[in-house]
Amino acid sequence: MPISEKVMLKIEQLSFSYDGLKVLWEIDLEVNEGEIVTVVGSNGAGKSTTLKNISRLLKPGSGSITFEGTDLTQLESHEVVEKGIVQVPEGRKIFSELTVMENLRMGSYIKSAKKDRARNIDWVFGLFPRLKEREKQLGGTMSGGEQQMLAIARGLMANPRLLLLDEPSLGLAPLLVRNIFDIITEINRKGVTILLVEQNVYQSLRVAHRGYVLETGRVVLAGTGEALLNEEHVKKAFLGI
Amino acid sequence: MTVFLQSLISGILIGGVYALIGIGLTMIFGVMRVINFAHGDIMMVGMYLTYNLFTLCGIDPFASVVICIPVMFLFGGFLQKIFINRVLNALPQNQILLTIGLGLIMSNTIMLIYTSDYKILTTSYSSGSFRIAGISISEPLAISFLITVIITAALYWFLMKTDMGQAIRATAQDREAAQLMGINVKRMSVIAFGLGTALAGTAGALITPTYYIFPQIGSTFTLKAFVITVLGGMGSVIGATLGGVIIGIAESMGAVYISSGWKEVLVYVIFLLVLLFKPSGLMGKSRM
């Protein structure tokens, strides 16, 4: 999908505190339609907190988050999903007592996604053939890598226009990590805009059109993926070069 | 041998009703992590509803289930929306205080209207029984068991096969992930509490032909429901079904082989043994 100049998601001056401890400091971030945008940074930099503010699992202290002109801060989490923003959470959060198929069905719970259920199931089984083999297995009995595939597939079932991915490569074997990033690129080609939060700085900057570097709750660098990969600070702090 | 089979069967029959009460409590706990200490009182409200339908409108207590289920569902949904939803993120002790308070209001309101006199609902079949292979089976218990089986089967089907049922289970398994699927978890809580209330109220309706009806009957059943739920594993519907039947059999066996005054002791001995050797309950690992 071609990248447009149209701003899809706009975060302005977002701050957030956990019990008085400020973890996000006036963050500005934009995602254009069709892009893969990544937010990289080390553990505790505030990456997941940013995503949870978008999906309204956390309610922001101050600042604004708009999606195609709609103010997200007025919505409940389930209403954000209905707008077309779907988050694949950190740690997968698979429904452990539901089968793979039932997990996918839950992914298409919202009204607008129900009618496309059969088509989307074919699509995600094409992306992740392993899931088809495990169709009837309980989510909780699958390996970490399989659960990550299921989490992404489940997110795609909702017909997302903007997919928020929180650390999809965390805890995966190196071979699988490559695989996951390839699939992210493929999903993006199908027309899904992606906001990717990662600790795997090299891989995510490699696939992303643009990136933001977050350090202790502040955006310290922003630019295209390629430019950031060549940035001295990024090399030293994250890539060990 | 006949005595053994006799008490086993009556235990299973009464256990069905216990299972309904337990399933309601475990569902509410599973979805919201709230222990509903008003559960027995809700059952008592169901008893009085059935009693009124019988004395005022002449509706048979078992037929009244058809009215009891929707009325109690709405009652539960109302309680959830107005009261329980406000304390979902509160400290457990505050949630306990709220549900205990709601229970007290229910029992005292009923006492104000109907006084604390014991009431009996006598139907043509209240003391009827029939015999199968030399074992005498109480007619009202048999009918109530049949209704219990139908309701439980319908509930399983709803939870396992429908989108909404799966959404309720998803909410119970991971509330945050459910929200990310676009599931309105507050609405699921209202439905879960409504269903739990409907089950407890129906259990109340089913026992009216065989139990005394009085405003304080709730507390005994809250305790019983709690034992059943913990025995089966908090949050497990299958566990609660199993727990209900086990408690029913234990009471019945205890009454026959020890004495009716000691039947509760047997129940709690089993309860403590399960807690001792399997602290998470019989089906502890499985969620809804």
Side-chain angles (χ1 to χ4, degrees), chain A residues 40 42 93 140 153 169 174 228:
Chain A
V40 295
S42 53
K93 288 187 167 281
S169 77
L228 286 177

Side-chain angles (χ1 to χ4, degrees), chain A residues 52 55-57 76-78 81-82 86-89 93-98 102-103 105-110 114 117 154-155, chain B residues 160-164 166-171 173-188 285-288:
Chain A
K52 283 185 176 172
S55 59
R56 301 285 295 145
L57 286 178
E76 292 288 328
S77 285
H78 64 96
V81 179
E82 281 161 12
V86 177
Q87 184 182 349
V88 177
K93 288 187 167 281
I94 293 303
F95 301 118
S96 54
E97 298 286 323
L98 296 186
E102 288 170 339
N103 266 281
R105 282 171 59 91
M106 282 299 100
S108 57
Y109 180 78
I110 56 169
K114 246 172 217 169
R117 193 173 262 171
R154 188 180 63 175
Chain B
M160 304 306 284
K161 296 293 172 202
T162 67
D163 261 16
M164 186 175 279
Q166 285 182 359
I168 289 175
R169 289 166 62 214
T171 308
Q173 287 168 32
D174 193 324
R175 203 177 174 84
E176 206 172 273
Q179 282 172 283
L180 295 178
M181 301 299 110
I183 295 169
N184 183 346
V185 291
K186 279 204 167 145
R187 188 154 161 257
M188 292 306 131
K285 277 275 174 216
S286 77
R287 285 256 159 270
M288 280 173 75

Side-chain angles (χ1 to χ4, degrees), chain A residues 7 18 20 27 30 36 43 52 58 61 69 75 77 97 99-100 113 128 132 166 181 190 194 198 200 217 229 236:
Chain A
V7 178
Y18 285 108
I27 296 228
E30 274 181 19
I36 299 179
N43 208 1
K52 283 185 176 172
L58 297 173
L75 303 180
S77 285
E97 298 286 323
T99 64
V100 168
F128 305 104
K132 186 165 172 52
D166 196 350
F181 281 99
K190 281 264 157 45
I194 289 171
E198 261 297 337
N200 189 330
L229 273 176
K236 228 159 81 194

Side-chain angles (χ1 to χ4, degrees), chain A residues 149-191:
Chain A
M149 293 175 196
L150 179 55
I152 296 175
R154 188 180 63 175
L156 292 175
M157 291 296 296
N159 281 338
R161 301 194 42 234
L162 174 62
L163 190 65
L164 312 175
L165 293 169
D166 196 350
E167 307 266 12
S169 77
L170 195 71
L172 297 187
L175 201 69
L176 222 47
V177 171
R178 269 304 276 272
N179 203 334
I180 288 280
F181 281 99
D182 288 345
I183 282 166
I184 291 170
T185 313
E186 194 178 333
I187 293 167
N188 177 247
R189 275 200 211 108
K190 281 264 157 45

